[in-house]
Amino acid sequence: MGIRTVAIHSDVDSSAVHVKMADEAVCVGPAPTSKSYLNMDAIMEAIRKTGAQAVHPGYGFLSENKEFARRLAAEGVTFIGPDTHAIQAMGDKIESKLIAKNAKVNTIPGFDGVVKDADEAVRIAREIGYPVMIKASAGGGGKGMRIAWDDEETREGFKFSSQEAASSFGDDRLLIEKFIDNPRHIEIQILADNHGTALWLNERECSIQRRNQKVVEEAPSTFLDPETRRAMGEQAVTLAKAVKYSSAGTVEFLVDSKKNFFFLEMNTRLQVEHPVTECITGLDLVQEMIRVAKGYPLRHKQADIPINGWAVECRVYAEDPYKSFGLPSIGRLSQYEEPLHVPSVRTDSGIQEGSDISIYYDPMISKLVTHGSNRAEALQRMEEALDNYIIRGVAHNIPLLREVIIHPRFIQGDISTKFLPEVYPDGFKGHNLNDSERRELLATAASLYVAMQLRAQRFLQNSRVPIVEPRQKNWDLSVQLDGRAQSVSLSHSGSEYVVDVDGKKLNVTSDWNLASALLPVTIDGTQRTLQCLSRDAAGNMNIQFLGTVYKVQVLTKLAAELSKYMPEKVEEDTSSNLRSPMPGTVVAVSVKPGDMVAEGQEICVIEAMKMQNSMTAAKPAKVKAVHCKAGETVGEGDLLVELE
């Protein structure tokens, strides 16, 4: 748009992508958010110093802070977003519900007021009827939210939610409402100007969530018919007009199985998942926000807003999906390549190769978006994009994302906010290989091993020794996967390998470029993209196949026979040692040496990435030693408490 920009950043973000992209950058303080990105004095100073005329707040931190918008207005600086009245009215979940009720928007039954203490919380919860949702009035992003099914959980939820709300938003007020079981989370994007025009830009389906945070979003939703879509859109616009809203905003609804919808809250900012709406409508929301802030009327009418095709977004996080669907992982991105060579792929990311994922901020790596003429095409492109995404140095949730988008229930559109716990009741375990996929993996691993052996015998196109014996054509190997060894015989000519697994022959073809992170391979005519994350001289390989990483060991027949004489390493008894599952800060320690604890009793609380996690005892025991205290920073795997 030809507008010059200033980026603000904390000291640890001094080489972040947004800093490099902007015309100039100002450091607003050290890493903790309260001292940098939430530090209004420093940000106002940066605005004065650079002579900025407008501020776009992004979608975190101060984007819904009425005090910040008020301070900008007082200095004559434009806030690219709604005015302070709308932020205040909609940002307070209690007030917003009353306004929605008065505007004849469907709302969830609940208590319209601030809850004073845990006893009052229990009394209100009984009146409304369990289950109830306890949530921070100033909240967002899943922070400060708990679901309670009985009195005890209400008391515990009240304690945790108010602590989380205070640390995330500096405001510990809570409210309670009926929890709608098995709902869908569908939101309507709206766009309004200062001239009385307000449009709804269709819906986004955001039901795939973990810990109330979205994981996969799509637009449009498979569930809505045109009538429901229009009704939701019109109610969203009515609400926007009731608070004289301008700029982009999102009205979130819970939709039950009978297509009844209830107002949940309004986000008075741009949403993380706005790209899916941009893909299907062709509008650039940030550009529209800037135009509206400058005072221009909207260029579109409601009838102009199309639904072109289908768009899906996966949130790629630096998280270990095998630990409660994603506990944060930190580290440096040693290798990072986005799958932009796949058609109709968009990635919005704030990091690049060499960036650090730190404990201070949200662990999101990027938003991966694919667009297709229909849902099947968009999902098929997403599958390809996930397979072609190279991320090394941190744990990431691509295995989980890829499983979700190929799951039969997801493909049929049979989803709710409970999708993950219902589909994976015992936690996420990775892709479950069927027999033919297992054979494909074994055959590919064997071919990869042979390709590496042949490469090792050559010096750039020359045989290593002049009197080298003719190249071996047939190989008898043993491939180990999940503790099961499988005999495999293989013959090759050029880049074609014929592999015999279980008496079935598979043709594996590839121009193995073993230096490349991506290994495209054709197995019996099916094209797959694999990644070999590591390999060593002992034949151990970590292969990413169908999104999940498998540990495979390929040995020659002789080596396999000798390996049975190798001693096994004994695992430590983990039930008596409580270790930190992730890097973070110890908030509270609830036990001391000599205490008796019951199974499931809270031992300590760790805060990471603004979420509090309660660590509990795995068995009834006596506390032998406590190795941490409140306020300490701990790393993943650090010993916290020993039990005996």
Side-chain angles (χ1 to χ4, degrees):
M1 293 175 76
I3 299 171
R4 295 192 50 214
T5 53
V6 180
I8 61 161
H9 62 90
S10 64
D11 55 9
V12 291
D13 276 350
S14 58
S15 56
V17 176
H18 75 283
V19 173
K20 292 178 178 173
M21 290 172 76
D23 295 288
E24 48 187 312
V26 180
C27 179
V28 289
T33 50
S34 55
K35 294 181 179 149
S36 52
Y37 294 113
L38 293 172
N39 181 349
M40 286 189 223
D41 293 339
I43 295 169
M44 295 307 297
E45 185 50 42
I47 291 166
R48 284 185 212 109
K49 202 165 80 185
T50 56
Q53 297 157 291
V55 173
H56 193 300
Y59 23 70
F61 302 127
L62 297 173
S63 58
E64 295 184 89
N65 188 303
K66 59 179 185 287
E67 175 62 19
F68 181 55
R70 193 188 60 70
R71 285 181 68 169
L72 289 174
E75 299 254 339
V77 177
T78 304
F79 179 73
I80 302 175
D83 64 8
T84 46
H85 162 67
I87 297 177
Q88 172 156 7
M90 289 294 119
D92 189 311
K93 291 190 175 148
I94 296 166
E95 195 181 333
S96 66
K97 221 169 144 177
L98 295 173
I99 294 171
K101 260 186 185 163
N102 295 337
K104 304 281 186 288
V105 175
N106 311 348
T107 55
I108 302 173
F111 174 68
D112 301 322
V114 180
V115 184
K116 291 190 199 61
D117 53 33
D119 292 337
E120 192 186 21
V122 169
R123 190 176 55 73
I124 294 164
R126 285 178 179 164
E127 276 172 24
I128 299 170
Y130 288 107
V132 297
M133 166 84 92
I134 302 165
K135 59 185 185 182
S137 174
K143 315 272 196 288
M145 273 192 184
R146 289 287 189 279
I147 294 158
W149 294 81
D150 56 41
D151 293 358
E152 190 187 337
E153 285 184 13
T154 304
R155 287 180 196 281
E156 195 175 278
F158 184 86
K159 179 184 88 169
F160 272 124
S161 289
S162 52
Q163 283 172 4
E164 263 180 31
S167 83
S168 287
F169 314 111
D171 178 347
D172 62 359
R173 293 176 308 145
L174 299 178
L175 70 151
I176 296 185
E177 65 189 17
K178 178 89 176 153
F179 174 62
I180 292 178
D181 219 13
N182 252 357
R184 282 171 181 260
H185 182 132
I186 298 178
E187 58 192 31
I188 299 283
Q189 173 71 53
I190 59 153
L191 186 59
D193 62 18
N194 298 312
H195 306 275
T197 307
L199 309 174
W200 46 275
L201 310 183
N202 305 315
E203 78 280 8
R204 288 186 291 261
E205 168 73 77
C206 305
S207 299
I208 308 281
Q209 305 184 352
R210 52 116 184 79
R211 300 196 296 276
N212 295 319
Q213 285 181 316
K214 300 159 191 165
V215 183
V216 179
E217 302 106 348
E218 57 183 318
S221 164
T222 52
F223 190 60
L224 295 192
D225 48 54
E227 290 71 42
T228 313
R229 176 176 298 124
R230 185 179 312 106
M232 288 172 75
E234 284 168 358
Q235 283 203 15
V237 165
T238 307
L239 180 63
K241 287 184 168 168
V243 289
K244 300 191 173 51
Y245 195 87
S246 70
S247 193
T250 295
V251 181
E252 300 190 349
F253 291 98
L254 285 183
V255 185
D256 69 16
S257 50
K258 299 182 179 61
K259 295 191 184 164
N260 297 315
F261 56 91
F262 303 96
F263 168 72
L264 184 62
E265 61 183 338
M266 180 170 188
N267 288 314
T268 57
R269 55 175 168 87
L270 190 67
Q271 293 272 79
V272 173
E273 58 276 13
H274 74 273
V276 289
T277 298
E278 296 188 336
C279 286
I280 63 161
T281 59
L283 268 69
D284 183 326
L285 292 177
V286 178
Q287 185 181 8
E288 297 297 332
M289 287 176 83
I290 295 172
R291 283 178 51 88
V292 166
K294 183 78 176 115
Y296 291 114
L298 290 176
R299 298 171 285 184
H300 305 274
K301 297 188 182 62
Q302 189 62 55
D304 302 337
I305 306 298
I307 297 185
N308 288 329
W310 211 284
V312 181
E313 170 180 289
C314 284
R315 296 193 184 189
V316 181
Y317 279 101
E319 288 185 333
D320 181 347
Y322 301 101
K323 294 180 181 172
S324 60
F325 300 118
L327 286 185
S329 152
I330 60 169
R332 173 163 290 174
L333 289 161
S334 53
Q335 198 177 358
Y336 180 76
E337 280 176 50
E338 296 171 349
L340 298 174
H341 56 282
V342 179
S344 300
V345 165
R346 162 177 170 176
T347 57
D348 290 16
S349 62
I351 47 105
Q352 59 198 41
E353 196 163 285
S355 292
D356 277 311
I357 305 283
S358 73
I359 64 168
Y360 299 108
Y361 312 117
D362 195 89
M364 191 189 286
I365 294 175
S366 76
K367 301 178 288 179
L368 181 64
V369 185
T370 56
H371 185 217
S373 55
N374 54 35
R375 189 165 184 258
E377 185 176 50
L379 288 176
Q380 195 265 319
R381 284 178 175 163
M382 180 59 78
E383 210 176 307
E384 197 181 335
L386 289 168
D387 282 340
N388 282 275
Y389 206 146
I390 302 166
I391 304 172
R392 306 270 195 280
V394 294
H396 55 76
N397 66 337
I398 284 179
L400 174 65
L401 295 172
R402 202 181 177 291
E403 280 302 283
V404 169
I405 62 163
I406 62 169
H407 195 278
R409 262 187 65 181
F410 181 78
I411 289 169
Q412 287 159 12
D414 169 22
I415 55 177
S416 73
T417 52
K418 285 205 178 139
F419 178 86
L420 289 175
E422 279 175 1
V423 171
Y424 308 108
D426 306 324
F428 177 67
K429 302 279 191 275
H431 182 70
N432 224 339
L433 293 171
N434 62 32
D435 289 346
S436 73
E437 288 168 348
R438 189 183 167 85
R439 283 194 295 274
E440 281 185 25
L441 178 54
L442 295 172
T444 312
S447 311
L448 189 55
Y449 172 81
V450 170
M452 291 189 302
Q453 295 302 318
L454 295 175
R455 183 177 75 157
Q457 293 171 9
R458 299 169 72 81
F459 264 132
L460 276 176
Q461 314 308 323
N462 298 320
S463 296
R464 198 168 267 202
V465 201
I467 46 172
V468 74
E469 59 200 70
R471 293 173 75 178
Q472 188 177 340
K473 284 274 184 278
N474 297 310
W475 300 69
D476 285 320
L477 303 169
S478 165
V479 184
Q480 212 174 14
L481 171 64
D482 299 334
R484 275 169 46 201
Q486 174 83 45
S487 296
V488 171
S489 57
L490 176 149
S491 62
H492 79 97
S493 65
S495 62
E496 290 197 21
Y497 295 77
V498 177
V499 191
D500 190 314
V501 186
D502 275 350
K504 291 195 168 56
K505 282 194 166 31
L506 287 88
N507 291 303
V508 179
T509 317
S510 174
D511 303 326
W512 301 110
N513 173 1
L514 299 178
S516 164
L518 297 175
L519 300 169
V521 53
T522 307
I523 310 164
D524 284 347
T526 307
Q527 285 201 310
R528 303 254 190 235
T529 303
L530 283 78
Q531 298 185 32
C532 183
L533 307 191
S534 66
R535 49 175 188 257
D536 63 17
N540 293 304
M541 299 186 222
N542 281 342
I543 296 178
Q544 185 177 316
F545 176 68
L546 303 177
T548 297
V549 177
Y550 295 94
K551 287 187 167 60
V552 182
Q553 187 179 26
V554 185
L555 298 171
T556 58
K557 269 280 180 348
L558 175 63
E561 281 160 20
L562 296 175
S563 72
K564 58 174 171 279
Y565 299 107
M566 296 289 281
E568 285 286 311
K569 184 181 171 188
V570 184
E571 293 283 310
E572 80 165 331
D573 172 24
T574 52
S575 64
S576 54
N577 289 340
L578 183 71
R579 293 182 181 276
S580 175
M582 67 209 151
T585 311
V586 181
V587 180
V589 181
S590 317
V591 296
K592 56 186 188 298
D595 286 1
M596 296 303 292
V597 292
E599 184 177 344
Q601 184 179 332
E602 178 186 299
I603 290 182
C604 61
V605 178
I606 302 241
E607 182 173 302
M609 314 270 185
K610 298 197 260 192
M611 296 292 277
Q612 294 203 355
N613 300 278
S614 174
M615 304 281 107
T616 55
K619 60 178 187 186
K622 186 176 173 187
V623 178
K624 183 174 163 189
V626 177
H627 297 284
C628 62
K629 55 178 188 286
E632 272 183 2
T633 304
V634 291
E636 181 176 357
D638 285 8
L639 186 59
L640 302 173
V641 176
E642 284 181 83
L643 305 172
E644 57 184 345

